[in-house]
Amino acid sequence: QQQVKQSPQSLIVQKGGISIINCAYENTAFDYFPWYQQFPGKGPALLIAIRPDVSEKKEGRFTISFNKSAKQFSLHIMDSQPGDSATYFCAASENTGGFKTIFGAGTRLFVKA
Amino acid sequence: KAGVTQTPRYLIKTRGQQVTLSCSPISGHRSVSWYQQTPGQGLQFLFEYFSETQRNKGNFPGRFSGRQFSNSRSEMNVSTLELGDSALYLCASSLGGSAYEQYFGPGTRLTVT
């Protein structure tokens, strides 16, 4: 019930294309859903996040779509660039007197120039 | 504002030894969480501290412990090191309260031989 399932494991997209990464969760106590971007040798960097009362959030080229009834959310990267090549993690957090965040397994994105 | 800092960045230890890792959160942040990142298990939640109190804990053995000081700096300790403890240990800070946004440090790469 604590898992966050992420797919695909890896993704190759042409420059200018749309990258789509999907995640699913079970625990309905989760109330915050962030996406992180991680480059080799670095810690994860917060990219964008959404709360379950919103179905979509857009920041620049990054959009989160959230489907509360299906317990699924996804990250769309529009106009993907080679500099977007990194590992992306979805996550789900709950606050039951203290924060707990569960991460998906990660998606390695490679954007071909 | 300075980001989250972690020391040391790299560490090599022998099985059976113990190790202490340090994390300095972003100024003003009172919540510190620790994660273990490995290729096989991904990012796994260890524990979260807020105002010197551990509020939440992941599924790790008692060999993993932590503490937080009055200035919000945090340390984690691993005793009786095992080969499987080799990982990147990441610290993340957030304001706490209802603010979920977590900002990660660069991590400490621990190698156990």
Side-chain angles (χ1 to χ4, degrees), chain A residues 10-12 28-29 35 39 47 54 57 63 66 69 75-76 79 81-82 85 87-89 92 95 101 103 105 113:
Chain A
S10 61
L11 185 59
I12 300 174
T28 54
W35 286 88
F39 292 104
L47 205 54
V54 176
K57 183 174 181 180
T63 300
F66 188 85
S69 60
L75 176 70
H76 294 233
D79 186 27
Q81 299 297 313
S85 298
T87 300
Y88 292 80
F89 294 93
N95 187 354
T101 300
F103 282 81

Side-chain angles (χ1 to χ4, degrees), chain A residues 15-89:
Chain A
K15 179 182 173 183
I18 303 173
S19 304
I20 302 174
I21 305 170
N22 301 298
C23 283
Y25 64 97
E26 288 294 324
N27 184 357
T28 54
F30 290 139
D31 60 354
Y32 176 75
F33 301 88
W35 286 88
Y36 287 86
Q37 178 190 59
Q38 187 176 29
F39 292 104
K42 305 283 188 183
L46 180 63
L47 205 54
I48 186 173
I50 198 166
R51 298 266 185 175
D53 52 347
V54 176
S55 62
E56 187 174 279
K57 183 174 181 180
K58 184 176 179 179
E59 286 184 4
R61 295 185 295 110
F62 301 93
T63 300
I64 299 179
S65 296
F66 188 85
N67 186 329
K68 189 174 180 178
S69 60
K71 292 188 235 172
Q72 294 175 346
F73 57 111
S74 60
L75 176 70
H76 294 233
I77 305 174
M78 315 300 281
D79 186 27
S80 298
Q81 299 297 313
D84 296 331
S85 298
T87 300
Y88 292 80
F89 294 93

Side-chain angles (χ1 to χ4, degrees), chain B residues 5-76:
Chain B
T5 58
Q6 292 187 245
T7 55
R9 292 293 313 278
Y10 303 92
L11 207 47
I12 300 174
K13 289 285 188 179
T14 304
R15 265 182 306 175
Q17 288 186 313
Q18 75 160 18
V19 67
T20 299
L21 312 182
S22 181
C23 170
S24 292
I26 292 170
S27 177
H29 284 195
R30 296 170 64 193
S31 170
V32 173
S33 296
W34 287 89
Y35 298 86
Q36 181 195 65
Q37 186 174 28
T38 59
Q41 299 297 316
L43 270 156
Q44 291 189 285
F45 172 76
L46 278 155
F47 26 65
E48 187 242 357
Y49 286 87
F50 180 83
S51 291
E52 303 177 66
T53 300
Q54 186 184 89
R55 298 196 300 182
N56 223 327
K57 192 177 187 326
N59 296 324
F60 278 82
R63 300 185 297 108
F64 292 81
S65 63
R67 59 177 175 167
Q68 187 180 34
F69 302 96
S70 58
N71 61 358
S72 294
R73 191 177 70 83
S74 178
E75 289 181 346
M76 69 162 279

